[in-house]
Amino acid sequence: MVKVRLFFLIVFSFSFSFGQTIKGTVLEKNSNVPLSEVNIYLKKDKTGTITDEKGRFSFKIKAEVKEGDTIVFSHLGHKNRYFSISEIRKIGNIIYLESDIEALHEVSISADKKLQSNIKFKELAPLEKAIHSFGAVLVNDKIYIVGGDISLTEDAHLKIIQDDPSLTGGPGSNFKDFLQELRSRRGISNKHYSGNMFVYHISSDAWEVSENKFRERAYHNLNFYDNKIYVVGGKRFSQNRKYEYLDDKIEIFDIEKDTILVEDVNPHQAVNSFSCIYKDRLIILGGSTKLKNGKTKVYSNKVRFVNLKTGLWYELDNMPEAKELNGVLVNDKLYVVETGSGRNDNTSLESYDLLTGKWERESDFFVTMDRPAITHNKGVVYFFEEGKIHTYDTITKTLNQYSIDLFLKASSLFCYKDTLYILGGIVDDNRIQLPSSRLVSIPLEEFEKTKINRFTTPEK
């Protein structure tokens, strides 16, 4: 059990893997722009491949190839580069080509590829209940969902305007009539949070409804450690449903025993904080803690963790800025984005190195995002929200944007066996907000077939 003690700590790559396949990215040396249609081939037999529009390549190596054999990188207008297999292992997965306007020789290995405009996806078995802002975690081939917001909200002002625009402008309009109509309708606000657990079985595309009942909460997190799921943070309603409170309990679900243990100790109580498991620690940072004067959010800049073996809590150095955030752990770094639309002109991606305690601004997105769904696979971080998927390569620091005909906010995103899964979220048409029950899958190979709308590369 988590002990009731609080301690303060003073100061405490998509890597290249050699095997049957070489994967990497080719960049122009001076501009760092990805180079498409770069010819990559084994010198002794001219077998090879080309890079895609993102500069990425995947080259299958034959079993008889030796580490001393030479691979050639060739592109019209650039100097050829030659590497042995062993040299590529040392370099990693980034290859730079230098411009050479007199370079005329090129080995032609071409591919006629017509890229699609949107990422394609497949509809799977929908959630048992439409929901958003829930806690979710992937455990083996199952996705566990606990709690979440199942509210239906409608803006009465906008609905009246849409139903009868004459009330607010033009000949014969009467603002008094508008106010009277507004008082009579008042909109819809059915606020309710779930206390259920749903389990999605990826292998069978089927949902299971758990008989366990959790605290009714939303805007919280789920984390998996030692065959247990930790339910942390978020907010709940009072019994009369008039007030909302930060949830001060940590629920621990034992998957094997099918039981729930409730812990009373959680010094980091917040809404829309980010949490993850790092080694034997449950790390929690940021979030919002209250509404000032009932309108303005008060944000937290605290970073805390509990040692799950000893039950002792510690506090790290504060974040540079107090904020709500969402993110993902990749190796020893947290990659996080600030959430909550309207605070900034665009959303930025930051990283927090757990070994050094250093924060770094990684990139700026092309749009403002509210609460994007985030996951990662092999050093690439994926972000989804409102018809856009961004990918960020943590090695090349390249940010790409793709379009997808799926318009949801506050969803969850997972990657399992080279397939993305997007589930739940909010459908927002500016008048009414509806929770969604949709679940879709996207094979990662779809990104190789789809045009990049926009991209950025780091300055050298």
Side-chain angles (χ1 to χ4, degrees):
M1 294 181 64
V2 177
K3 298 180 181 178
V4 188
R5 287 193 240 173
L6 180 64
F7 285 80
F8 294 87
L9 191 64
I10 299 178
V11 172
F12 248 66
S13 65
F14 183 83
S15 62
F16 172 77
S17 59
F18 181 72
Q20 294 300 312
T21 303
I22 294 175
K23 294 182 179 180
T25 302
V26 181
L27 304 178
E28 209 283 331
K29 185 176 181 180
N30 294 323
S31 65
N32 256 356
V33 173
L35 290 175
S36 62
E37 298 186 358
V38 175
N39 295 290
I40 305 163
Y41 60 97
L42 196 62
K43 187 176 180 180
K44 67 179 183 180
D45 63 7
K46 299 298 188 294
T47 59
T49 186
I50 64 171
T51 57
D52 60 18
E53 286 195 357
K54 298 171 283 186
R56 293 181 182 169
F57 65 92
S58 179
F59 185 19
K60 292 186 178 180
I61 301 296
K62 297 179 180 178
E64 62 267 25
V65 173
K66 300 177 181 179
E67 289 202 358
D69 289 339
T70 300
I71 292 181
V72 182
F73 291 79
S74 173
H75 189 262
L76 188 63
H78 294 81
K79 295 179 180 179
N80 289 356
R81 297 202 68 182
Y82 305 84
F83 300 96
S84 67
I85 299 293
S86 60
E87 286 174 333
I88 293 181
R89 293 185 65 183
K90 296 177 182 178
I91 292 172
N93 70 330
I94 307 175
I95 303 297
Y96 292 97
L97 294 187
E98 184 178 354
S99 297
D100 182 5
I101 60 174
E102 297 193 15
L104 300 176
H105 177 69
E106 180 181 22
V107 177
S108 296
I109 303 174
S110 60
D112 184 15
K113 297 174 66 176
K114 186 175 181 181
L115 299 176
Q116 60 196 22
S117 298
N118 292 337
I119 295 283
K120 293 182 180 179
F121 58 87
K122 177 183 177 182
E123 296 281 355
L124 301 175
L127 283 76
E128 292 291 322
K129 182 171 291 188
I131 199 166
H132 69 86
S133 303
F134 46 83
V137 66
L138 174 67
V139 180
N140 299 322
D141 66 338
K142 299 177 184 178
I143 299 175
Y144 291 79
I145 292 177
V146 172
D149 194 331
I150 54 178
S151 308
L152 168 65
T153 58
E154 181 182 80
D155 190 318
H157 298 75
L158 289 176
K159 187 170 192 316
I160 293 171
I161 292 171
Q162 290 178 353
D163 291 347
D164 189 358
S166 67
L167 289 174
T168 57
S173 64
N174 190 325
F175 188 66
K176 185 176 180 180
D177 292 342
F178 171 76
L179 293 178
Q180 183 176 349
E181 182 72 12
L182 180 62
R183 282 193 292 268
S184 67
R185 294 164 73 160
R186 296 186 181 277
I188 300 172
S189 182
N190 179 22
K191 298 286 288 183
H192 191 72
Y193 297 155
S194 170
N196 295 322
M197 170 183 277
F198 302 104
V199 184
Y200 177 69
H201 298 255
I202 295 176
S203 57
S204 60
D205 185 29
W207 286 93
E208 169 192 350
V209 182
S210 172
E211 295 183 358
N212 288 287
K213 295 300 179 183
F214 292 77
R215 295 166 63 82
E216 295 181 357
R217 71 169 96 189
Y219 308 91
H220 56 289
N221 297 296
L222 260 60
N223 297 274
F224 176 74
Y225 174 81
D226 193 25
N227 211 38
K228 298 179 180 64
I229 293 175
Y230 290 75
V231 187
V232 182
K235 58 182 177 178
R236 60 182 178 83
F237 280 109
S238 61
Q239 287 188 346
N240 59 14
R241 313 200 65 76
K242 290 184 177 180
Y243 306 101
E244 289 183 306
Y245 300 101
L246 297 178
D247 202 309
D248 59 350
K249 310 294 185 187
I250 295 178
E251 293 173 290
I252 305 171
F253 174 68
D254 190 310
I255 295 177
E256 184 176 347
K257 297 179 181 179
D258 196 33
T259 58
I260 302 172
L261 173 67
V262 179
E263 291 287 355
D264 294 325
V265 183
N266 179 15
H268 196 108
Q269 300 166 29
V271 171
N272 289 335
S273 59
F274 169 61
S275 64
C276 66
I277 300 292
Y278 178 67
K279 298 180 179 178
D280 298 320
R281 307 166 186 173
L282 169 59
I283 301 175
I284 313 174
L285 58 162
S288 59
T289 57
K290 63 180 178 180
L291 287 177
K292 187 177 181 180
N293 300 323
K295 297 180 180 179
T296 306
K297 286 184 178 180
V298 177
Y299 298 94
S300 170
N301 63 356
K302 298 298 183 183
V303 181
R304 299 183 174 98
F305 74 83
V306 56
N307 186 312
L308 295 173
K309 287 190 173 182
T310 65
L312 302 179
W313 282 89
Y314 300 85
E315 185 165 312
L316 302 176
D317 290 338
N318 292 339
M319 293 169 21
E321 180 185 358
K323 64 182 74 174
E324 293 182 348
L325 69 171
N326 194 16
V328 68
L329 171 66
V330 182
N331 298 324
D332 298 312
K333 277 189 177 182
L334 305 181
Y335 290 85
V336 299
V337 296
E338 180 177 4
T339 60
S341 58
R343 286 198 73 195
N344 293 305
D345 293 335
N346 62 340
T347 302
S348 62
L349 175 65
E350 297 176 288
S351 65
Y352 176 55
D353 193 317
L354 294 169
L355 299 179
T356 65
K358 179 183 177 182
W359 285 88
E360 180 181 355
R361 191 183 186 97
E362 296 280 337
S363 183
D364 288 327
F365 291 90
F366 310 105
V367 295
T368 299
M369 292 186 282
D370 190 355
R371 188 166 177 81
I374 305 175
T375 191
H376 80 101
N377 182 62
K378 298 176 182 176
V380 177
V381 185
Y382 297 84
F383 308 83
F384 163 74
E385 186 175 83
E386 287 285 75
K388 302 293 181 187
I389 293 182
H390 293 81
T391 64
Y392 182 74
D393 192 311
T394 59
I395 302 300
T396 66
K397 297 185 181 295
T398 301
L399 178 72
N400 296 326
Q401 182 193 82
Y402 302 83
S403 294
I404 182 170
D405 192 19
L406 185 66
F407 296 88
L408 295 168
K409 298 191 299 186
S411 304
S412 280
L413 177 64
F414 295 99
C415 187
Y416 178 74
K417 289 188 175 180
D418 292 331
T419 300
L420 296 180
Y421 294 86
I422 301 174
L423 58 158
I426 301 171
V427 179
D428 189 348
D429 70 352
N430 295 321
R431 176 180 64 84
I432 188 169
Q433 290 189 339
L434 294 170
S436 172
S437 62
R438 295 179 76 177
L439 168 61
V440 306
S441 65
I442 305 169
L444 292 184
E445 62 186 20
E446 276 296 307
F447 291 88
E448 299 177 3
K449 305 174 185 177
T450 310
K451 290 189 295 186
I452 301 172
N453 291 337
R454 303 172 72 178
F455 71 88
T456 59
T457 56
E459 296 181 1
K460 291 189 71 175

